Amino acid sequence: MMMLLNREMALRACGFIVFRRLASCIPPPDNIEYLLLQTSYGEHHWTPPKGHVDPGEDDLTTALRETKEEAGLGAEHLRVIDGFLQELHYEVRGRPKEVLYWLAELRDPEMPVILSDEHQDYRWARLEEACRLAQYKDLQDTLRAVHNYLEAQQNKQ
Ligand SMILES: Nc1nc2c(ncn2[C@@H]2O[C@H](COP(=O)(O)OP(=O)(O)OP(=O)(O)OP(=O)(O)OC[C@H]3O[C@@H](n4cnc5c(=O)[nH]c(N)nc54)[C@H](O)[C@@H]3O)[C@@H](O)[C@H]2O)c(=O)[nH]1
């Protein structure tokens, strides 16, 4: 029974789509860049910082912990954007996985990213490059949704 439950329970991970705005003459929203990290294992795929929820840990704490561990960016470096939370569902080795992404702006666009040994590379990418790196349709759709959200916010100002 326990085995069955464990097998059916979804893996759960949480993270942040981190973006920065370049202080340049490029008009918004094209001055926005998204942070993607490339794994040092497996398919060497690219995703935003995220990771598995530890037992008893709440989701937002996981997202902040993983972003700190994987990119060296802590809560003090981020401005969390209210009202944006995206949930992705996909399968990993036959098991359902759910990933929750919050959205945050890097306060200082010059702040360096510091990788852990789980990742071998990172990229600050404009939307189209970010979508090319993030080869999964659901992640691409999420990045486009973020971009539209930020553009709409910008237009309200
Ligand atoms: N040696 C080795 N070790 C591994 C491997 N695998 C894990 N480790 C170990 O686990 C630790 C990481 O632990 P955390 O950081 O806590 O977890 P996560 O951040 O959750 O990281 P994961 O990498 O486990 O999970 P995903 O990114 O979800 O990738 C899993 C698969 O899902 C697909 N996929 C990914 N993203 C999307 C998407 O957005 N959309 C769709 N549709 N599909 C997507 C893609 O096909 C991919 O292959 C590492 O330190 C390793 O020790 C592996 O293959 N070889």
Side-chain angles (χ1 to χ4, degrees):
M1 180 64 182
M2 201 59 203
M3 286 279 289
L4 197 68
L5 269 176
N6 280 342
R7 210 176 300 141
E8 285 178 354
M9 254 166 38
L11 295 164
R12 190 173 179 84
C14 297
F16 270 102
I17 294 174
V18 181
F19 69 94
R20 67 178 186 180
R21 289 178 212 263
L22 293 180
S24 71
C25 52
I26 307 166
D30 291 337
N31 62 342
I32 294 173
E33 292 182 334
Y34 300 96
L35 177 62
L36 290 172
L37 313 178
Q38 184 183 33
T39 59
S40 47
Y41 54 83
E43 304 161 8
H44 303 293
H45 60 290
W46 295 81
T47 73
K50 55 127 179 58
H52 297 130
V53 178
D54 285 344
E57 190 176 44
D58 77 77
D59 292 339
L60 186 56
T61 303
T62 303
L64 287 167
R65 175 179 57 72
E66 290 284 349
T67 303
K68 179 75 187 173
E69 287 175 7
E70 295 186 347
L73 304 174
E76 69 279 20
H77 304 125
L78 303 171
R79 187 171 67 83
V80 180
I81 307 295
D82 279 342
F84 191 97
L85 179 60
Q86 186 79 38
E87 203 171 323
L88 268 62
H89 295 267
Y90 52 90
E91 283 213 345
V92 179
R93 290 175 285 274
R95 265 184 86 182
K97 177 165 183 176
E98 52 194 24
V99 183
L100 266 62
Y101 282 117
W102 277 266
L103 177 61
E105 179 170 9
L106 187 62
R107 290 179 184 277
D108 172 6
E110 300 298 322
M111 180 81 198
V113 168
I114 300 166
L115 296 180
S116 72
D117 54 14
E118 282 182 31
H119 293 98
Q120 62 182 28
D121 201 2
Y122 74 91
R123 212 55 67 77
W124 284 107
R126 306 252 292 269
L127 180 66
E128 288 314 315
E129 193 199 353
C131 288
R132 190 178 54 74
L133 292 171
Q135 52 187 305
Y136 313 104
K137 169 129 189 350
D138 46 6
L139 187 51
Q140 291 168 338
D141 288 347
T142 299
L143 290 166
R144 291 190 201 285
V146 165
H147 209 70
N148 290 339
Y149 185 84
L150 294 175
E151 194 171 5
Q153 279 203 328
Q154 186 85 39
N155 291 339
K156 271 197 238 158
Q157 285 170 6

